[in-house]
Amino acid sequence: MAMSLLDCLATTEALAAIFSDESVAAAMLEFESALARGAAIAGVIPTTAARTISEAALRGGVDTAAIARAARAGATPAIPLVQALRERVHLIDPASAAYVHWGATSQDVTDTALVLLLKQARVPIAADEARLDRALRTLSERHAGTVMLGRTLLQPATPITFGLKVAGWTSAISHSWYRLRDAWSRALVLQFGGAAGTLAALGDQGLRVVAETARELDLRAVPPWHTNRDRLGALVTACGLHVAALGKAARDITLLMQAEVGEAAEPGGGSSTMPHKQNPSGCAVVLAAATRMPSLVSACLTAMIQEHERGTGGGQAEWPIVGAAVQATGAAVSSLAGAIAGLTVDPERMRRNLEATGGTIFAERAVMQLTPLLGRDTAQRLVGDAVAQSRRSGGAFAGVLRASVGQRVPGDLLDDIDRPERYLGAAETLRTWLLNDPEV
Amino acid sequence: MAMSLLDCLATTEALAAIFSDESVAAAMLEFESALARGAAIAGVIPTTAARTISEAALRGGVDTAAIARAARAGATPAIPLVQALRERVHLIDPASAAYVHWGATSQDVTDTALVLLLKQARVPIAADEARLDRALRTLSERHAGTVMLGRTLLQPATPITFGLKVAGWTSAISHSWYRLRDAWSRALVLQFGGAAGTLAALGDQGLRVVAETARELDLRAVPPWHTNRDRLGALVTACGLHVAALGKAARDITLLMQAEVGEAAEPGGGSSTMPHKQNPSGCAVVLAAATRMPSLVSACLTAMIQEHERGTGGGQAEWPIVGAAVQATGAAVSSLAGAIAGLTVDPERMRRNLEATGGTIFAERAVMQLTPLLGRDTAQRLVGDAVAQSRRSGGAFAGVLRASVGQRVPGDLLDDIDRPERYLGAAETLRTWLLNDPEV
Amino acid sequence: MAMSLLDCLATTEALAAIFSDESVAAAMLEFESALARGAAIAGVIPTTAARTISEAALRGGVDTAAIARAARAGATPAIPLVQALRERVHLIDPASAAYVHWGATSQDVTDTALVLLLKQARVPIAADEARLDRALRTLSERHAGTVMLGRTLLQPATPITFGLKVAGWTSAISHSWYRLRDAWSRALVLQFGGAAGTLAALGDQGLRVVAETARELDLRAVPPWHTNRDRLGALVTACGLHVAALGKAARDITLLMQAEVGEAAEPGGGSSTMPHKQNPSGCAVVLAAATRMPSLVSACLTAMIQEHERGTGGGQAEWPIVGAAVQATGAAVSSLAGAIAGLTVDPERMRRNLEATGGTIFAERAVMQLTPLLGRDTAQRLVGDAVAQSRRSGGAFAGVLRASVGQRVPGDLLDDIDRPERYLGAAETLRTWLLNDPEV
Amino acid sequence: MAMSLLDCLATTEALAAIFSDESVAAAMLEFESALARGAAIAGVIPTTAARTISEAALRGGVDTAAIARAARAGATPAIPLVQALRERVHLIDPASAAYVHWGATSQDVTDTALVLLLKQARVPIAADEARLDRALRTLSERHAGTVMLGRTLLQPATPITFGLKVAGWTSAISHSWYRLRDAWSRALVLQFGGAAGTLAALGDQGLRVVAETARELDLRAVPPWHTNRDRLGALVTACGLHVAALGKAARDITLLMQAEVGEAAEPGGGSSTMPHKQNPSGCAVVLAAATRMPSLVSACLTAMIQEHERGTGGGQAEWPIVGAAVQATGAAVSSLAGAIAGLTVDPERMRRNLEATGGTIFAERAVMQLTPLLGRDTAQRLVGDAVAQSRRSGGAFAGVLRASVGQRVPGDLLDDIDRPERYLGAAETLRTWLLNDPEV
């Protein structure tokens, strides 16, 4: 199934397919199929019934539209799906039909299906993430020595390197990906507990069925978690953190790409009416995800307050939340990967923008150099005056300051005051530290 | 198009159809069609071109999947949609193709399309709302005299009537519906401003084209609002308020429907494994919407910070937010309407639950009756002791208290102390006040 | 009481004082005082008791720290506050002490107190809003003819005027202020319903006491709304909408103020280490509010799901939410008013930035002028080539295009193609339309 | 400093003290003090200056109200705080004053101060958490064999044990505490990077100063993270997950404590007007935190999109968000610890409530036992009829069913059909599995 128009900027083709009706139904049926096999291995249902159910379930092709319509009566798509499967099995072998969904509850189906979709979704996202990570590291290395303006509160600060800026993005993206990968692994667990989560309907074979069904699905076996949603919550919050880190990089790129700044540009896209346009459309998709993700996280956390052994409201809210959160995350990773991989950087423009400040960005440096010699008050006053005069006259700050300070300091003290290369501090060491972070 | 499985509890069939690919594409094409006609009326494009474009656009049938896929390049589905329309017109009349989308920008298409969908969506939601309102008023009238426990912090308080409780729901639902209806009307406006919102491409006919296009679409003409999203924001926040009011009623019903309370029950639905179950599935759908809506509102407000004349991230986030918010609202209204219309109420059980408190809920009443005669401290002490003794012994609070107070107060003062009908205060007046609220 | 350090950017001095402990306690006591007077007028409590209570309450000076500490036991500060008042009255007249809080419940105190604080808070916010509105209108008028780049997706689009941009801000700010003012008025209501909201403890005088107490407090009398929170929710969501409108303007200003853009600057503030810095600190405060407000709205909506006659969790969450929301709103209004009132605008720089595009922003205009003569495909191709050549060569787009088009079009058709004044469309009409909006 | 009235339910005394003005200012000064010492060790500033600054800073006593008022000019309290410290040092030794804040930027102060507060806040929260964990485990052990109704969608399901329910709470609380503890440790890092995060002002000694200052403060040294906020975000999201887990338990307790259920009760608190009340006030505080936390998480994630080397809006929003989030978490942990430690449980009432279902909750069990013998359709029909008849007549489900089934199944098959002890499945094994979870 294709992306819908309404959500076309909020997902990727791969993820839209994974969360499509066909795929969702297949995941629900995969649970029923594995449960039947697991129950048969444990001796709880007849082997022939298991085979019939398993094959019928894996054949797919249920009427997903009918199931979606029928879902509201019982507030779950599991009831009509199980009914549809039972009817199909009944056509093949009426006796086997009795053993469909044996010992399970609706949420066992919907939760395990969601987990199976999450397992699938991890693959394309991890692939895009690897592509993004490589692109970021290459970009940072390439621009280890590319000097540019640091900007604080969107105003010129002291110089940095573009390599350092990219390393900062990389660090936050790596940290949050590490957390997300960990949360993702922990979330790949079977949900199976039956009516009230005790496996009572399976007599003394409950845990055996759990183990076998989990093995069939290649999921981890854990105690039922019908109303203890911490693993799912951890996955969605980790998505939120990761998309925030991606969004920060995307915001920076859109700012660097402004015509008036012109220091970097993503490949981007055009306009429906203006032929001259190159828009940061990749970053726009990332930022759209970053706009929505905090709220998806919030909804997920609110939904975690689920009553007793099955929630009334919270649980029923999760599918759209988790589906949207994972797809938004994938859209953001994929789009930023494209933007970074295709980023063009203009070191010349970076330098021109830096020089356009007239050197006033070195005012801090000047104060710190002059303070030990002249005292802080004098240093501050001289520098402040020089900044003001430089702005008024358009003259270079360094020259104005040197003239003003005159003989009061050793002749060469201010010589290279406005050479950005001399005021990069530990930029390069920090850059490599960020890229070789022991935290991930 | 049917509801998707992932969102099947988060919408209604009517709304799923309105926000389906076919419908979204039709709305976009409807804008292009109306614009062509409007521009022709204003003399900006040739009449024949307008006719060709208009007819081609209304014929529908674009490849929505292809448009969705192509949308990401420019971060808008408008570009590929306009391109598809242009190609189609070109097949009919190459000269006319030039005038497709004349003077418009992508956001003119996407915003006006969204508004057209909102206009459609109002119809089924308003119909469900009317049904809900009628059901609520009928219910409140019928139970004007049905006495039940008031409950504060989920503990027994003093008595109320069920009619008053329902009137409280009705009041909040009416207030917020009034706000939502108003916001909805205000939001039904044309978006048309061209590249930077000045209508420059239309020369001196810009405002004329705005007026004519708005007339064609039966929308209100307003200045372009590309990055001033207050009307859309007001609609979504009003949805949030309304769903909160619906959710409060749904929460109450789920609590009243607990087996241990048993005072009211919605028709509800069953279980996939437990034949004895009657679940509040209608209310669960309402509460699921109430779980998600605050976050959709939050996302919408965050998205309102859009840069300059067209946002980078905020605007691109809106379609999924607004689509989900309106559908969640519709699902909640529809489900609560069903729950209220089918609500069964058990006045006998209400009375039994009230009586099961042993009359201790009249402790406040007793204090207030005794205080003028015995002083507050004595009154508090006597009443407190009587509550404790009643709980220990299981004896009725009123009897215990009367024995304890003895001759200290006039003989009949405490006679009807535990008759709930005598301690309803202004319940009935408040009920009618709530139902005849001058605020809406 | 001063602003706290933690919240010093999240409020104003005036609002911090209104939500200070002294002020909160005074509002709670004001309710108790008015209730005593109202109950005496209705003949429910003795006049002397009312006088004693009223005077004791208005004298202030309760130990707010002790009340705050004691609040957790009963999950409300009302219980210890009432106890403190009762003890104080007892010292004056033991008999009167019995009539403190007569017929009221804790939430009557806390809700009415909150409303009284909201009533106070409206004053400074409305004053700042008026200042902001005047500054915006003046600014828009002054720059009605100031031409600048329109920018979409942070890239150069076609020209606009700065007056139009400001009018857009003004429109969204006016709309949302209109909504907020309305919501604020509707929220100024008495809360008084007693234990379960029936006024039962006041016998047949309940509504009379409501009316008199409301009159004493100059609040509107409405039915109790203990768990129907729509008015409060409407106020907070309207705050959210308003702050979003303010945030959009602030974001634009921070972008215009970038050194590389330099088109406008707010007075701003300095840096702790860089003497050359002028930071958009006013806008930063607005944007900090805009970052937090959507979530405060979300929390408020979530809190609206309150059980039965008194919520368990939702109600107890409201004070910090509403207090923070109103203070954030006030901080944003006040800071933006300062930023706009002190905004310096550089029309020269605006023109230079526009011209720095080499006229390529007129590509749309050129296509639309050439299309009727050459057909759209040829027009698109010629213009696209001219844009590319202009960018490569640095030559003006208009010249390149004229050379390329040659004799194919009437000689003067492209004469003024790159004069921004000729491509402003309806900018001025739209500007006045926005400023004279019939919607507010 | 005491808790404020507005926030008195949203914090604890210990945390209110940690986030008080005095404590916040002390943390900022502690950074300046440690920086001075660290810079002196690295030879960057004179030792005597370091000593003077360090001692002046640690003496405390700055005018926090004045600093809070002055913070808005530069959108940070760091500027006036540094100024106040400089003036104080100047009084002692003018030469030393020059070296105050040497090489640092405002955010170095505010971020490190926040981290120091977080370090303090961990202590009381961890202590409450340990108390909570012990109470939960004791409670679960004590009620390993206490049979009660499982409840799904707030309706009776099959039986569970109270020990299993508590183990479920414990598991989610342990998981999320494990995540929170980890995030907390990772967040205890120094922020120090100077103007643009390169440490340029410290020449080649930047990293040395970082190392020494971190050592002085017992924080981990990491590269500057001025606009890479993942560690802070991870802490706040982990708070959100933890509070959600706490809130789920609190919600369950409030439901069990309803008079009509009466299975468990926390110590709770009273009412301002109703002497008979015992309210779940501890759980109300937990649920109030759970109402607000998702939004605080959302705000924190939104704030993470910070521009370039210092954000405009996002960064300035963090203090109130993080302060509120940590305090809400602490309030929730502390309140739930009290509620659990003081929980009274009524196993008799649990059994009575279970029996009040007339045994219909065993309908699933009956279907599963009868299906292999009678086929599913017959089993379903017989059981469904028996449920209906039992409800109509009030007769026990088991008896009705046995009569209906008659001789069709072996005589003893349904003998113990309604004995809950026989339908607990793997409850006890799952309980111990949950309490001995390998994931934490």
Side-chain angles (χ1 to χ4, degrees), chain D residues 5-155:
Chain D
L5 272 178
L6 208 66
D7 292 332
C8 62
L9 302 179
T11 186
T12 65
E13 286 193 68
L15 293 170
I18 289 169
F19 288 98
S20 70
D21 283 0
E22 291 68 26
S23 171
V24 171
M28 296 172 83
L29 291 167
E30 191 180 348
F31 167 79
E32 295 292 351
S33 166
L35 170 60
R37 295 195 304 275
I41 293 169
V44 172
I45 69 167
T47 306
T48 51
R51 192 174 314 123
T52 311
I53 294 166
S54 180
E55 288 172 11
L58 295 181
R59 205 175 342 127
V62 291
D63 181 348
T64 59
I67 291 169
R69 270 196 306 275
R72 302 192 67 203
T76 172
I79 298 179
L81 178 118
V82 168
Q83 183 58 23
L85 175 59
R86 208 187 296 282
E87 285 167 11
R88 177 185 292 191
V89 173
H90 200 274
L91 290 177
I92 305 169
D93 173 27
S96 294
Y99 296 100
V100 166
H101 192 65
W102 190 259
T105 190
S106 295
Q107 206 183 347
D108 293 335
V109 191
T110 51
D111 276 351
T112 302
L114 183 60
V115 168
L116 291 170
L117 299 176
L118 292 173
K119 193 172 151 196
Q120 295 174 46
R122 189 170 57 165
V123 178
I125 294 178
D128 283 335
E129 187 74 32
R131 189 161 57 100
L132 170 61
D133 186 67
R134 279 193 305 272
L136 284 166
R137 288 172 190 277
T138 303
L139 190 65
S140 179
E141 292 296 343
R142 187 180 305 145
H143 293 284
T146 303
V147 175
M148 71 184 296
L149 267 176
R151 294 176 175 98
T152 59
L153 287 109
L154 288 173
Q155 294 297 314

Side-chain angles (χ1 to χ4, degrees), chain C residues 103-390:
Chain C
T105 191
S106 295
Q107 207 184 348
D108 293 335
V109 190
T110 51
D111 276 351
T112 302
L114 183 61
V115 168
L116 291 170
L117 299 176
L118 292 173
K119 194 171 148 193
Q120 294 174 46
R122 189 169 58 166
V123 179
I125 294 178
D128 283 335
E129 187 73 32
R131 188 161 59 99
L132 170 61
D133 186 67
R134 280 193 304 272
L136 284 165
R137 289 173 189 278
T138 303
L139 190 66
S140 178
E141 291 297 343
R142 186 180 306 143
H143 294 284
T146 303
V147 174
M148 71 185 297
L149 268 177
R151 294 176 175 99
T152 58
L153 287 110
L154 289 172
Q155 293 299 314
T158 55
I160 61 169
T161 64
F162 186 57
L164 175 60
K165 182 189 275 274
V166 175
W169 301 341
T170 310
S171 166
I173 291 171
S174 299
H175 284 178
S176 54
W177 173 246
Y178 166 86
R179 287 189 188 94
L180 178 52
R181 204 180 41 186
D182 179 62
W184 215 302
S185 295
R186 288 170 184 269
L188 297 186
V189 294
L190 177 71
Q191 173 69 284
F192 184 55
T198 61
L199 300 161
L202 301 165
D204 57 4
Q205 290 301 302
L207 291 166
R208 180 84 196 283
V209 177
V210 165
E212 297 299 341
T213 306
R215 190 196 322 270
E216 293 287 325
L217 293 169
D218 194 21
L219 296 177
R220 195 154 53 90
V222 295
W225 43 283
H226 294 121
T227 49
N228 294 307
R229 316 299 287 173
D230 61 280
R231 290 188 198 88
L232 208 54
L235 173 62
V236 172
T237 55
C239 283
L241 285 166
H242 193 50
V243 172
L246 302 171
K248 186 267 183 287
R251 173 72 55 84
D252 281 3
I253 293 170
T254 62
L255 293 169
L256 296 175
M257 192 168 161
Q258 293 170 99
E260 297 83 0
V261 180
E263 301 184 357
E266 62 137 312
S271 147
S272 71
T273 184
M274 291 178 282
H276 73 283
K277 273 293 217 94
Q278 183 190 4
N279 285 327
S281 42
C283 289
V285 168
V286 180
L287 288 166
T291 299
R292 289 168 65 234
M293 271 307 299
S295 292
L296 290 166
V297 169
S298 171
C300 182
L301 292 171
T302 299
M304 284 176 69
I305 312 296
Q306 299 187 9
E307 296 85 0
H308 292 319
E309 282 60 66
R310 197 84 73 260
T312 311
Q316 293 78 6
E318 284 176 350
W319 269 23
I321 295 169
V322 177
V326 168
Q327 292 180 75
T329 303
V333 173
S334 156
S335 288
L336 191 64
I340 296 289
L343 200 75
T344 54
V345 179
D346 187 341
E348 273 311 300
R349 184 73 180 270
M350 287 175 173
R351 179 161 297 265
R352 282 210 307 281
N353 286 339
L354 190 153
E355 290 170 354
T357 66
T360 54
I361 57 167
F362 298 99
E364 176 201 43
R365 188 180 190 203
V367 169
M368 300 196 79
Q369 293 202 356
L370 295 175
T371 287
L373 299 165
L374 307 177
R376 191 176 177 280
D377 292 348
T378 305
Q380 282 273 42
R381 185 176 44 75
L382 287 171
V383 168
D385 289 351
V387 165
Q389 189 180 332
S390 162

Side-chain angles (χ1 to χ4, degrees), chain A residues 49 66 87 165 307 315 323 383 417 433:
Chain A
E87 286 167 12
K165 181 189 276 274
E307 295 85 1
V383 168
I417 188 78
W433 191 2

Side-chain angles (χ1 to χ4, degrees), chain A residues 319-341:
Chain A
W319 270 24
I321 296 170
V322 178
V326 168
Q327 291 181 79
T329 303
V333 173
S334 156
S335 289
L336 190 64
I340 296 288

Side-chain angles (χ1 to χ4, degrees), chain B residues 200-225:
Chain B
L202 301 166
D204 58 4
Q205 289 301 302
L207 291 166
R208 180 85 195 282
V209 178
V210 164
E212 297 298 341
T213 306
R215 191 195 321 271
E216 293 287 325
L217 293 169
D218 193 21
L219 296 177
R220 197 155 51 90
V222 296
W225 44 283

